[in-house]
Amino acid sequence: MSFLPKSRKARRRLTVLAVAAPVVALAVGLALWGMRDAISLFYTPAQAAAAHVPAGRKVQLGGLVKAGSVVKHPDGLVEFVVADQRSTALVRYKGDLPDLFREGQGVVASGAFDGSGTFVAKQVLAKHDERYMPREVSKALKEQGEWRGDGAKPAYGAGKPN
């Protein structure tokens, strides 16, 4: 009693499928393994807090720069708070900020959270004109009900950094 089909043509197709499936699975696995360092997920501060992003994992953090939160140190270190409707995240960045970086504006920072929960940015991107908001940031703000269109100030924009 054999589970193989009686048709010679069907057995040949089954053999080809049995040989090709592991090869395709291996190729997909190798491609995903090779891209693991290139994948950078986007989070708002609230999403990052909810997802418990592990320390050291490369992600993008986006939101609005909280008004009054930008602190520039003499050694070039800049600290600021990225906020959304529900949460905030302290960001540390060493380097020159983009010319369009301002409080109350949308930013996307690439980097990783450290062990203390501070986001250490390797790159900070700011909007490129008065009406532009990074797509990920505007989508996340719209989902949270915070989106007020261009030029409106967020309610949580005022205050001191955390």
Side-chain angles (χ1 to χ4, degrees), residues 45-98:
Q47 291 170 339
H52 303 290
V53 177
R57 182 172 180 187
K58 184 179 172 186
V59 295
Q60 293 180 339
L61 181 70
L64 301 175
V65 178
K66 189 174 182 178
S69 69
V70 179
V71 178
K72 295 182 179 180
H73 297 276
D75 62 349
L77 180 70
V78 179
E79 294 179 334
F80 56 94
V81 174
V82 173
D84 62 5
Q85 182 73 19
R86 300 178 194 131
S87 185
T88 61
L90 177 64
V91 177
R92 287 195 177 114
Y93 175 70
K94 191 165 189 170
D96 295 328
L97 290 169

Side-chain angles (χ1 to χ4, degrees), residues 42 44 62-64 106 108 132-147 150:
F42 175 82
T44 64
L64 301 175
V108 175
Y132 177 76
M133 174 83 65
R135 186 176 1 162
E136 297 91 352
V137 174
S138 64
K139 181 181 173 190
L141 292 175
K142 286 176 184 175
E143 288 174 358
Q144 293 178 2
E146 176 58 25
W147 182 256
D150 299 322

Side-chain angles (χ1 to χ4, degrees), residues 99-141:
D99 292 337
L100 297 173
F101 178 86
R102 292 187 196 105
E103 295 176 352
Q105 298 295 327
V107 295
V108 175
S110 298
F113 286 96
D114 65 7
S116 67
T118 301
F119 190 80
V120 180
K122 300 282 184 196
Q123 183 182 24
V124 174
L125 304 173
K127 66 178 190 173
H128 59 71
D129 70 13
E130 287 298 317
R131 292 181 286 171
Y132 177 76
M133 174 83 65
R135 186 176 1 162
E136 297 91 352
V137 174
S138 64
K139 181 181 173 190
L141 292 175

